[in-house]
Amino acid sequence: MKNFIFLLLLLFANFLKAQTPVDLSSFKKNGSTVSINKKLITLSWPAGKSVSGKIILDMDQKKPLFNSILLSKNGTFKEIAKNLDPAFVLRVGKRTLSPSSGGWDVFFDKVPTRPYTTNLMAFDKRKASIQTSGSQTIIKISQVKSNTFNGDLEITLYNGSPLFNVAAVVSTKVDSTAILYDAGLTSKTDVWGNIAWSDVKKQMQSVKPALTDQSKNLEVKYRTVIGENNGGSLALFPAPHQYFYPLDEAFNLKFTWYGSNYLNLIPGFGIGIRQDPLGDRRYVPWFNARPNTKQRLNFFCLISTDQAQATLSEVKKFTHNDSYVSLAGYKTMASHFHNEFISDVALSGKPIPEKPEFVEVLKNTGLNIVKLAEFHGPGHPKGPDSTRLKELNSLFEQTKRLSDASFLLLPGEEANNFYGGHWLAFFPKPVYWVMSKKENTPFEITDAKYGKVYHVGDKDEMLKLLEQEKGLAWVAHARTKASTGYPDKYKEEAFFKSDTYMGAAWKAIPADLSLPTLSKRVLDLMDDMANWGLKKHVISEADIFTITEQNEMYAHLNVNYLQMDKLPRYEDGWQPILDVIKNGKFFVSTGEVLIPTFNINGKGAGETLKLDQLGKATVNMQLNWTFPLNFVEIISGDGHKVYRDRINLKDTQAFGKQTFKWSVNLKGRKWARVEAWDIATNGAFTQMVWLE
């Protein structure tokens, strides 16, 4: 009997050793299924109408994690890929945290000019857990580590789409850390039948790879590289905006790769995403990695039973083909471009192209209105007058020539004078003004050639000019770059409290992979300005220089959807555009999440709502989206504190449109606004509704 019991215990111990410890305590029914057979974990999820996805994970330390990736249509599974391992290369550098440059909000940093490390992250399949959250299924495998970073691998499946995300979720305890990562899927035995991508001219390219092919960096369109097999294809791509930390230039730095022995670190053959550690060779801040924050080093995979071109078409739908779609009752506007067409082309003596490349590129992204920021380096904003007025005249001539019934190219400048920091000036018509004033020069003169000309000598005259010509101003890259400390330093100034000072501009600076939103820096400022008791707004800005078809433009762009039925004619001036901005009748978006309608108790953005004594309110909004949504947040303030009501939207699926109603108590609040963010950290936000 003792021998028999000993034999049973031995058999049970061997069974436990063969069986992978998988925690299913948080796995709930949501349409996905899971089964465990020794070291194999099989997960299936509804991937679309009559479509099912399946991944088989192998927890054997000596075998690839992705034993098989399959997709079915009408019940018949096809194997898309097999024997793949996720791979992550982590670069770790030192962040400059000087308060004078914005601390963690720094842009003027050059991380790769200081010593940094580049290492392949180690992956140890000790244990796993599987949980569901709405329409998502998350597989967590421990552990991933490199340098001072450690954490888990997470694979997230999304019901309704053949889409999944692979992430190394890691943190460090070391302060002042900046990071960069490359990632992909690799195999030591199997090679794809073909590797395919779109070149920057939007033409499909492909190669038939071999296991011995040395890795190669690819310059692609749509940030995507695709592996093809007989069963179908797998497209691998990053989050379209979050993966691209802020730079002055939107150069295409070959953000994908394929081949063997990538960086002499990743064994086997792979496909993946990458970042050039030297960036655009200007200011290169990388990503923030604050101590104890969970950094999501991640990429997306879309699987299909079709071949590469059809699969890429499905990927492109997530970003509307890298463009901003039209919405009834809205016009799209982007701001802050230092293309310097006037100085570098129009006044350089070079031939002036009938259709400049930068204009065609911006038109092709679906923009109706583009506000320039010329003369930021090569111009002569302070004169001499003859040069300054000639430059402005050329700017007005060229922007008028290049505008048409569906596209307005509007003059504008980033002014670095009078107010402090950098700020954008925007007038509703051509205005001749010089940003300096000699002694005894009148504020306003009449020039024989150019007509009315202003000379501005200080902040009071700047305010006078904006008031007289109905212009608007707003702080560029607030609290960072050359505007570090602004607008806080002048929040009590008359010019800032004036209606001519619209507010601030929003761009994804800094980059932080632990956050579910972009540019918290300016969103916080938006709330601060409202709590200061000022009715200010936040407009999006691109703040980039070169604009070419070759560039990775979409990753660095954002858009303002202005509530307008039609564009004004250039010849008539564009006061209606400034009125919409001044009144807050617009929302900001990265492009993937849209807010066609929004109101609180019937009052829209920029309007004032009188609450009842109980403070009861209903937020009404329609959302359109591509990636599944993550959450909506209703943000409000009482003049001192900021309050946040977060609504989990992880039950949504890809490519949706829905009208929502949420009850919220706003008693004692003075303002409220709403943000919406998806699972790829794309988002949109409204302007304020003012409360009484």
Side-chain angles (χ1 to χ4, degrees), residues 516-537:
T517 69
L518 299 176
S519 198
K520 188 173 181 295
R521 165 187 59 91
V522 181
L523 297 175
D524 286 347
L525 172 61
M526 190 178 187
D527 302 335
D528 289 344
M529 290 189 297
N531 272 345
W532 295 342
L534 303 172
K535 292 186 176 181
K536 303 299 183 185
H537 307 295

PDB file of all heavy atoms in Angstrom, residues 516-537:
ATOM      1  N   PRO A 516      -1.878  56.184 -20.712  1.00  0.00           N
ATOM      2  CA  PRO A 516      -2.891  55.808 -21.708  1.00  0.00           C
ATOM      3  C   PRO A 516      -3.336  56.983 -22.560  1.00  0.00           C
ATOM      4  O   PRO A 516      -4.245  56.859 -23.370  1.00  0.00           O
ATOM      5  CB  PRO A 516      -4.048  55.299 -20.839  1.00  0.00           C
ATOM      6  CG  PRO A 516      -3.954  56.126 -19.591  1.00  0.00           C
ATOM      7  CD  PRO A 516      -2.481  56.375 -19.373  1.00  0.00           C
ATOM      8  N   THR A 517      -2.706  58.158 -22.371  1.00  0.00           N
ATOM      9  CA  THR A 517      -3.022  59.358 -23.135  1.00  0.00           C
ATOM     10  C   THR A 517      -1.739  59.952 -23.691  1.00  0.00           C
ATOM     11  O   THR A 517      -0.640  59.566 -23.306  1.00  0.00           O
ATOM     12  CB  THR A 517      -3.718  60.414 -22.253  1.00  0.00           C
ATOM     13  OG1 THR A 517      -2.768  60.916 -21.298  1.00  0.00           O
ATOM     14  CG2 THR A 517      -4.909  59.828 -21.518  1.00  0.00           C
ATOM     15  N   LEU A 518      -1.892  60.939 -24.568  1.00  0.00           N
ATOM     16  CA  LEU A 518      -0.765  61.683 -25.108  1.00  0.00           C
ATOM     17  C   LEU A 518      -0.754  63.100 -24.534  1.00  0.00           C
ATOM     18  O   LEU A 518      -1.811  63.677 -24.252  1.00  0.00           O
ATOM     19  CB  LEU A 518      -0.846  61.753 -26.632  1.00  0.00           C
ATOM     20  CG  LEU A 518      -0.810  60.437 -27.402  1.00  0.00           C
ATOM     21  CD1 LEU A 518      -1.011  60.697 -28.902  1.00  0.00           C
ATOM     22  CD2 LEU A 518       0.486  59.684 -27.161  1.00  0.00           C
ATOM     23  N   SER A 519       0.432  63.658 -24.375  1.00  0.00           N
ATOM     24  CA  SER A 519       0.638  65.053 -23.983  1.00  0.00           C
ATOM     25  C   SER A 519      -0.205  65.484 -22.789  1.00  0.00           C
ATOM     26  O   SER A 519      -0.961  66.449 -22.855  1.00  0.00           O
ATOM     27  CB  SER A 519       0.372  65.999 -25.151  1.00  0.00           C
ATOM     28  OG  SER A 519       0.950  67.262 -24.906  1.00  0.00           O
ATOM     29  N   LYS A 520      -0.046  64.771 -21.694  1.00  0.00           N
ATOM     30  CA  LYS A 520      -0.703  65.159 -20.449  1.00  0.00           C
ATOM     31  C   LYS A 520      -0.266  66.561 -20.022  1.00  0.00           C
ATOM     32  O   LYS A 520      -1.016  67.280 -19.343  1.00  0.00           O
ATOM     33  CB  LYS A 520      -0.360  64.132 -19.365  1.00  0.00           C
ATOM     34  CG  LYS A 520      -1.104  64.271 -18.058  1.00  0.00           C
ATOM     35  CD  LYS A 520      -0.791  63.098 -17.153  1.00  0.00           C
ATOM     36  CE  LYS A 520      -1.547  63.196 -15.834  1.00  0.00           C
ATOM     37  NZ  LYS A 520      -1.123  64.358 -15.027  1.00  0.00           N
ATOM     38  N   ARG A 521       0.923  66.955 -20.436  1.00  0.00           N
ATOM     39  CA  ARG A 521       1.458  68.285 -20.132  1.00  0.00           C
ATOM     40  C   ARG A 521       0.461  69.387 -20.473  1.00  0.00           C
ATOM     41  O   ARG A 521       0.162  70.259 -19.644  1.00  0.00           O
ATOM     42  CB  ARG A 521       2.761  68.479 -20.927  1.00  0.00           C
ATOM     43  CG  ARG A 521       3.291  69.894 -21.022  1.00  0.00           C
ATOM     44  CD  ARG A 521       4.469  69.940 -21.985  1.00  0.00           C
ATOM     45  NE  ARG A 521       4.123  69.487 -23.305  1.00  0.00           N
ATOM     46  CZ  ARG A 521       3.690  70.271 -24.301  1.00  0.00           C
ATOM     47  NH1 ARG A 521       3.587  71.568 -24.106  1.00  0.00           N
ATOM     48  NH2 ARG A 521       3.404  69.779 -25.483  1.00  0.00           N
ATOM     49  N   VAL A 522      -0.079  69.368 -21.682  1.00  0.00           N
ATOM     50  CA  VAL A 522      -0.975  70.443 -22.112  1.00  0.00           C
ATOM     51  C   VAL A 522      -2.400  70.214 -21.618  1.00  0.00           C
ATOM     52  O   VAL A 522      -3.127  71.170 -21.344  1.00  0.00           O
ATOM     53  CB  VAL A 522      -0.948  70.596 -23.646  1.00  0.00           C
ATOM     54  CG1 VAL A 522      -1.848  71.732 -24.100  1.00  0.00           C
ATOM     55  CG2 VAL A 522       0.475  70.859 -24.116  1.00  0.00           C
ATOM     56  N   LEU A 523      -2.809  68.958 -21.476  1.00  0.00           N
ATOM     57  CA  LEU A 523      -4.133  68.693 -20.925  1.00  0.00           C
ATOM     58  C   LEU A 523      -4.208  69.197 -19.486  1.00  0.00           C
ATOM     59  O   LEU A 523      -5.231  69.748 -19.059  1.00  0.00           O
ATOM     60  CB  LEU A 523      -4.443  67.203 -21.003  1.00  0.00           C
ATOM     61  CG  LEU A 523      -4.500  66.631 -22.425  1.00  0.00           C
ATOM     62  CD1 LEU A 523      -4.687  65.122 -22.391  1.00  0.00           C
ATOM     63  CD2 LEU A 523      -5.607  67.284 -23.236  1.00  0.00           C
ATOM     64  N   ASP A 524      -3.117  69.039 -18.739  1.00  0.00           N
ATOM     65  CA  ASP A 524      -3.074  69.583 -17.380  1.00  0.00           C
ATOM     66  C   ASP A 524      -3.122  71.109 -17.403  1.00  0.00           C
ATOM     67  O   ASP A 524      -3.796  71.737 -16.568  1.00  0.00           O
ATOM     68  CB  ASP A 524      -1.803  69.125 -16.663  1.00  0.00           C
ATOM     69  CG  ASP A 524      -1.865  67.664 -16.249  1.00  0.00           C
ATOM     70  OD1 ASP A 524      -2.965  67.075 -16.287  1.00  0.00           O
ATOM     71  OD2 ASP A 524      -0.808  67.100 -15.895  1.00  0.00           O
ATOM     72  N   LEU A 525      -2.407  71.705 -18.356  1.00  0.00           N
ATOM     73  CA  LEU A 525      -2.435  73.160 -18.478  1.00  0.00           C
ATOM     74  C   LEU A 525      -3.843  73.646 -18.817  1.00  0.00           C
ATOM     75  O   LEU A 525      -4.297  74.682 -18.294  1.00  0.00           O
ATOM     76  CB  LEU A 525      -1.450  73.626 -19.550  1.00  0.00           C
ATOM     77  CG  LEU A 525      -1.510  75.116 -19.913  1.00  0.00           C
ATOM     78  CD1 LEU A 525      -1.193  75.996 -18.710  1.00  0.00           C
ATOM     79  CD2 LEU A 525      -0.565  75.427 -21.071  1.00  0.00           C
ATOM     80  N   MET A 526      -4.526  72.926 -19.661  1.00  0.00           N
ATOM     81  CA  MET A 526      -5.900  73.280 -20.030  1.00  0.00           C
ATOM     82  C   MET A 526      -6.771  73.394 -18.775  1.00  0.00           C
ATOM     83  O   MET A 526      -7.537  74.350 -18.609  1.00  0.00           O
ATOM     84  CB  MET A 526      -6.445  72.217 -20.980  1.00  0.00           C
ATOM     85  CG  MET A 526      -7.762  72.533 -21.635  1.00  0.00           C
ATOM     86  SD  MET A 526      -8.212  71.189 -22.765  1.00  0.00           S
ATOM     87  CE  MET A 526      -9.655  71.896 -23.555  1.00  0.00           C
ATOM     88  N   ASP A 527      -6.616  72.418 -17.883  1.00  0.00           N
ATOM     89  CA  ASP A 527      -7.386  72.421 -16.643  1.00  0.00           C
ATOM     90  C   ASP A 527      -6.917  73.543 -15.714  1.00  0.00           C
ATOM     91  O   ASP A 527      -7.729  74.195 -15.054  1.00  0.00           O
ATOM     92  CB  ASP A 527      -7.257  71.072 -15.941  1.00  0.00           C
ATOM     93  CG  ASP A 527      -7.729  69.918 -16.817  1.00  0.00           C
ATOM     94  OD1 ASP A 527      -8.559  70.166 -17.707  1.00  0.00           O
ATOM     95  OD2 ASP A 527      -7.263  68.790 -16.608  1.00  0.00           O
ATOM     96  N   ASP A 528      -5.613  73.762 -15.676  1.00  0.00           N
ATOM     97  CA  ASP A 528      -5.081  74.826 -14.818  1.00  0.00           C
ATOM     98  C   ASP A 528      -5.609  76.190 -15.251  1.00  0.00           C
ATOM     99  O   ASP A 528      -6.015  77.010 -14.410  1.00  0.00           O
ATOM    100  CB  ASP A 528      -3.550  74.831 -14.860  1.00  0.00           C
ATOM    101  CG  ASP A 528      -2.939  73.643 -14.133  1.00  0.00           C
ATOM    102  OD1 ASP A 528      -3.666  72.986 -13.353  1.00  0.00           O
ATOM    103  OD2 ASP A 528      -1.745  73.360 -14.361  1.00  0.00           O
ATOM    104  N   MET A 529      -5.589  76.463 -16.554  1.00  0.00           N
ATOM    105  CA  MET A 529      -6.063  77.762 -17.039  1.00  0.00           C
ATOM    106  C   MET A 529      -7.525  77.975 -16.678  1.00  0.00           C
ATOM    107  O   MET A 529      -7.932  79.084 -16.305  1.00  0.00           O
ATOM    108  CB  MET A 529      -5.853  77.874 -18.554  1.00  0.00           C
ATOM    109  CG  MET A 529      -4.400  77.988 -18.975  1.00  0.00           C
ATOM    110  SD  MET A 529      -4.165  78.390 -20.735  1.00  0.00           S
ATOM    111  CE  MET A 529      -4.885  76.947 -21.541  1.00  0.00           C
ATOM    112  N   ALA A 530      -8.327  76.913 -16.771  1.00  0.00           N
ATOM    113  CA  ALA A 530      -9.740  77.028 -16.401  1.00  0.00           C
ATOM    114  C   ALA A 530      -9.893  77.286 -14.910  1.00  0.00           C
ATOM    115  O   ALA A 530     -10.732  78.098 -14.486  1.00  0.00           O
ATOM    116  CB  ALA A 530     -10.480  75.756 -16.804  1.00  0.00           C
ATOM    117  N   ASN A 531      -9.072  76.631 -14.097  1.00  0.00           N
ATOM    118  CA  ASN A 531      -9.131  76.872 -12.651  1.00  0.00           C
ATOM    119  C   ASN A 531      -8.569  78.235 -12.264  1.00  0.00           C
ATOM    120  O   ASN A 531      -8.847  78.734 -11.162  1.00  0.00           O
ATOM    121  CB  ASN A 531      -8.399  75.760 -11.895  1.00  0.00           C
ATOM    122  CG  ASN A 531      -9.306  74.578 -11.587  1.00  0.00           C
ATOM    123  OD1 ASN A 531     -10.532  74.674 -11.681  1.00  0.00           O
ATOM    124  ND2 ASN A 531      -8.715  73.459 -11.210  1.00  0.00           N
ATOM    125  N   TRP A 532      -7.777  78.848 -13.146  1.00  0.00           N
ATOM    126  CA  TRP A 532      -7.336  80.226 -12.907  1.00  0.00           C
ATOM    127  C   TRP A 532      -8.487  81.214 -13.124  1.00  0.00           C
ATOM    128  O   TRP A 532      -8.337  82.406 -12.875  1.00  0.00           O
ATOM    129  CB  TRP A 532      -6.190  80.608 -13.835  1.00  0.00           C
ATOM    130  CG  TRP A 532      -4.931  79.837 -13.618  1.00  0.00           C
ATOM    131  CD1 TRP A 532      -4.580  79.113 -12.507  1.00  0.00           C
ATOM    132  CD2 TRP A 532      -3.841  79.712 -14.538  1.00  0.00           C
ATOM    133  NE1 TRP A 532      -3.346  78.534 -12.677  1.00  0.00           N
ATOM    134  CE2 TRP A 532      -2.858  78.880 -13.916  1.00  0.00           C
ATOM    135  CE3 TRP A 532      -3.567  80.192 -15.821  1.00  0.00           C
ATOM    136  CZ2 TRP A 532      -1.658  78.539 -14.544  1.00  0.00           C
ATOM    137  CZ3 TRP A 532      -2.373  79.859 -16.444  1.00  0.00           C
ATOM    138  CH2 TRP A 532      -1.429  79.048 -15.806  1.00  0.00           C
ATOM    139  N   GLY A 533      -9.607  80.709 -13.648  1.00  0.00           N
ATOM    140  CA  GLY A 533     -10.763  81.558 -13.905  1.00  0.00           C
ATOM    141  C   GLY A 533     -10.767  82.180 -15.280  1.00  0.00           C
ATOM    142  O   GLY A 533     -11.514  83.136 -15.535  1.00  0.00           O
ATOM    143  N   LEU A 534      -9.948  81.617 -16.203  1.00  0.00           N
ATOM    144  CA  LEU A 534      -9.834  82.168 -17.551  1.00  0.00           C
ATOM    145  C   LEU A 534     -10.482  81.237 -18.568  1.00  0.00           C
ATOM    146  O   LEU A 534     -10.308  80.020 -18.502  1.00  0.00           O
ATOM    147  CB  LEU A 534      -8.357  82.372 -17.907  1.00  0.00           C
ATOM    148  CG  LEU A 534      -7.577  83.269 -16.946  1.00  0.00           C
ATOM    149  CD1 LEU A 534      -6.090  83.236 -17.290  1.00  0.00           C
ATOM    150  CD2 LEU A 534      -8.102  84.697 -16.983  1.00  0.00           C
ATOM    151  N   LYS A 535     -11.205  81.791 -19.498  1.00  0.00           N
ATOM    152  CA  LYS A 535     -11.874  80.993 -20.521  1.00  0.00           C
ATOM    153  C   LYS A 535     -10.948  80.840 -21.725  1.00  0.00           C
ATOM    154  O   LYS A 535     -11.036  81.581 -22.705  1.00  0.00           O
ATOM    155  CB  LYS A 535     -13.209  81.623 -20.908  1.00  0.00           C
ATOM    156  CG  LYS A 535     -14.237  81.570 -19.783  1.00  0.00           C
ATOM    157  CD  LYS A 535     -15.602  82.069 -20.236  1.00  0.00           C
ATOM    158  CE  LYS A 535     -16.632  81.908 -19.119  1.00  0.00           C
ATOM    159  NZ  LYS A 535     -17.977  82.356 -19.532  1.00  0.00           N
ATOM    160  N   LYS A 536     -10.049  79.889 -21.601  1.00  0.00           N
ATOM    161  CA  LYS A 536      -9.063  79.632 -22.642  1.00  0.00           C
ATOM    162  C   LYS A 536      -9.347  78.292 -23.304  1.00  0.00           C
ATOM    163  O   LYS A 536     -10.053  77.437 -22.765  1.00  0.00           O
ATOM    164  CB  LYS A 536      -7.656  79.627 -22.046  1.00  0.00           C
ATOM    165  CG  LYS A 536      -7.264  80.913 -21.318  1.00  0.00           C
ATOM    166  CD  LYS A 536      -7.277  82.137 -22.240  1.00  0.00           C
ATOM    167  CE  LYS A 536      -6.819  83.386 -21.517  1.00  0.00           C
ATOM    168  NZ  LYS A 536      -6.949  84.601 -22.376  1.00  0.00           N
ATOM    169  N   HIS A 537      -8.750  78.092 -24.483  1.00  0.00           N
ATOM    170  CA  HIS A 537      -8.930  76.852 -25.236  1.00  0.00           C
ATOM    171  C   HIS A 537      -7.566  76.288 -25.623  1.00  0.00           C
ATOM    172  O   HIS A 537      -6.536  76.963 -25.514  1.00  0.00           O
ATOM    173  CB  HIS A 537      -9.769  77.098 -26.491  1.00  0.00           C
ATOM    174  CG  HIS A 537     -11.070  77.791 -26.205  1.00  0.00           C
ATOM    175  ND1 HIS A 537     -12.065  77.216 -25.457  1.00  0.00           N
ATOM    176  CD2 HIS A 537     -11.525  79.027 -26.547  1.00  0.00           C
ATOM    177  CE1 HIS A 537     -13.085  78.060 -25.363  1.00  0.00           C
ATOM    178  NE2 HIS A 537     -12.775  79.168 -26.016  1.00  0.00           N
TER     179      HIS A 537
END
